[in-house]
Amino acid sequence: QVQLVESGGGLVQAGGSLRLSCVASGTDDNFTSMGWYRQTPGKQRELVAQFTTDNRIEYADSVKGRFTISRGDVKNTVSLLMNDLKPEDTATYYCAASILSGHGGNGWWGQGTQVTVSS
C-alpha cells in the first residue's frame, strides 16, 4: 500500500527556515500531483503548495515568496523549503499525493509533521 512519510518539522524562531521532505513508498506509478497542506486544530486543512496534475506549481498567497516546493532526486519525493517563517505558519504539515487514471484516481495523506514557529 502507498505510504507517505514526512520529516523535517520542528521548533524554529520567527525568521528562521525549515525544510520538509516527503518520501513515498508502495507504488511503481508516478504521482500525478503531489504537495503540502497544513492544519491547525480549529481550522480547515489548507493547501500550502503543490505540483498540480499538469505539473504547474501553486502556492497559497500567504506563503508566496517565502516557501519553495521542489521535486526530489528520487521518484515520488517532494520537499518544501520554508524561509522567513512566521508564528502564523505554525501547524501540522501534511504531504499529499494522488494518482489519476482513466478510471478515476486515488489520493493519500501522510501522518503529518509539526512545525512550530516562536516569536
Side-chain angles (χ1 to χ4, degrees):
Q1 62 181 18
V2 172
Q3 286 188 309
L4 305 177
V5 179
E6 304 99 333
S7 63
L11 175 64
V12 65
Q13 291 184 332
S17 299
L18 286 172
R19 183 185 293 273
L20 306 183
S21 296
C22 176
V23 178
S25 64
T27 181
D28 293 326
D29 297 322
N30 291 318
F31 292 122
T32 51
S33 67
M34 199 168 187
W36 293 92
Y37 289 71
R38 66 186 181 188
Q39 187 173 27
T40 56
K43 294 183 178 181
Q44 184 91 340
R45 189 171 299 185
E46 65 174 351
L47 174 69
V48 177
Q50 69 168 339
F51 290 99
T52 68
T53 300
D54 296 326
N55 205 34
R56 299 184 182 93
I57 296 176
E58 296 181 347
Y59 292 102
D61 288 341
S62 60
V63 307
K64 286 181 179 178
R66 298 188 297 120
F67 291 10
T68 303
I69 189 171
S70 61
R71 297 189 183 278
D73 295 331
V74 179
K75 180 181 177 181
N76 290 336
T77 63
V78 66
S79 294
L80 183 70
L81 175 61
M82 304 184 293
N83 291 323
D84 191 25
L85 283 161
K86 303 176 180 180
E88 51 263 43
D89 295 318
T90 295
T92 302
Y93 284 71
Y94 296 90
C95 182
S98 66
I99 298 176
L100 299 180
S101 71
H103 301 93
N106 292 294
W108 299 270
W109 295 103
Q111 292 298 306
T113 185
Q114 179 66 36
V115 172
T116 302
V117 184
S118 62
S119 300

